[in-house]
């Protein structure tokens, strides 16, 4: 899942509402499709989550999360569990994105 944080998030939004879950396609050849996020894709979620100023700064298709590679599970891991590596690609010409490893890193 993806957690949204920062100064553009409304203060009254509960922590559990800041997550966007993207589930893999179980049993498909492409188990984790590309996820495109932006004002045109998840309009109601973004409108409820972001301040008006932040919502207006969000592009219609702002960025995408795409799988890069999948690795076999380490020895002793649960059956069928594999590690995946993802990349965030900025799709906006005017508005950059910032990717952090955790919500705590946003303030750093």
């Amino acid at each position: 899942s993806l957690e949204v944080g920062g100064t553009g998030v409304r203060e009254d939004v509960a922590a559990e509402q800041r997550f966007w879950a993207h589930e893999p396609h179980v049993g498909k050849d492409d188990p984790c499709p590309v996820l495109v996020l932006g004002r045109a894709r998840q309009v109601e979620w973004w409108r409820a989550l972001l301040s008006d100023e932040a919502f207006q700064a969000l592009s219609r298709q702002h960025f995408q999360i795409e799988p890069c590679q999948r690795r076999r599970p380490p020895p002793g891991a649960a059956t069928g569990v594999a590690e995946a590596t993802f990349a965030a690609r900025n799709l906006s010409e005017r508005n950059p994105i910032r990717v952090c490893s955790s919500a705590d890193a946003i303030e750093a």
Side-chain angles (χ1 to χ4, degrees):
S1 65
L2 174 73
E3 181 181 7
V4 178
T7 58
V9 175
R10 295 180 187 272
E11 290 182 13
D12 61 340
V13 175
E16 62 271 8
Q17 293 176 313
R18 296 175 183 216
F19 288 88
W20 184 267
H22 183 59
E23 300 293 326
H25 292 153
V26 177
K28 302 268 185 171
D29 289 338
D30 182 17
C32 195
V34 171
L35 172 62
V36 178
L37 292 133
R39 203 171 60 211
R41 298 287 183 132
Q42 303 86 10
V43 64
E44 296 304 321
W45 184 68
W46 288 114
R47 191 178 306 275
L49 183 69
L50 300 176
S51 68
D52 292 339
E53 183 180 356
F55 180 77
Q56 292 305 317
L58 184 68
S59 298
R60 294 175 47 103
Q61 293 190 91
H62 203 92
F63 67 101
Q64 70 184 29
I65 308 291
E66 54 193 47
C68 295
Q69 68 183 125
R70 295 181 59 80
R71 293 179 285 194
R72 293 178 183 244
T79 304
V81 176
E83 293 182 10
T85 303
F86 295 89
R89 182 184 309 269
N90 187 19
L91 301 175
S92 174
E93 292 181 15
R94 294 186 289 158
N95 300 311
I97 61 171
R98 181 173 176 194
V99 178
C100 300
S101 59
S102 71
D104 295 333
I106 292 172
E107 302 302 323

